[in-house]
Amino acid sequence: MVATQKLFSTKITLTIDYGDPLILFKSDFRVKDSAGKVESFNSVVDAMNYLDSKGWEFITAFPVSTGQSGGSVYHYLFRRKISQ
């Protein structure tokens, strides 16, 4: 999961990488509701709670340098919860 702040907003959107091959200009991995509208979240914790409610378990987070003025993008790893 990568959380990205929306332009001119305090809300964030989520991009999910399932490991599928990327097709330039055709792949949209943002989280959407049942109507196909992109979901917005108040914070990363809000997004993590959403994924938890959908059966995903948080594993770890790590920064990836963007190379632009020392900035980083945080990536969050999840896995499906193991049902007993």
Side-chain angles (χ1 to χ4, degrees):
M1 169 190 97
V2 176
T4 307
Q5 188 167 353
K6 294 175 82 174
L7 191 60
F8 305 116
S9 175
T10 59
K11 303 277 186 175
I12 62 169
T13 57
L14 297 183
T15 304
I16 306 291
D17 179 357
Y18 294 102
D20 297 334
L22 294 176
I23 301 170
L24 292 178
F25 306 111
K26 294 185 180 181
S27 300
D28 185 4
F29 296 105
R30 293 177 295 174
V31 174
K32 298 178 183 174
D33 64 14
S34 59
K37 183 179 176 226
V38 175
E39 291 273 7
S40 292
F41 301 92
N42 295 318
S43 66
V44 171
V45 173
D46 184 28
M48 292 172 76
N49 286 334
Y50 171 83
L51 289 175
D52 179 72
S53 74
K54 297 295 183 186
W56 292 93
E57 176 182 27
F58 173 73
I59 303 300
T60 191
F62 59 92
V64 175
S65 175
T66 62
Q68 300 172 349
S69 65
S72 295
V73 173
Y74 277 83
H75 292 248
Y76 300 83
L77 295 181
F78 288 79
R79 67 176 173 202
R80 279 284 186 194
K81 290 180 184 177
I82 299 171
S83 58
Q84 299 292 338

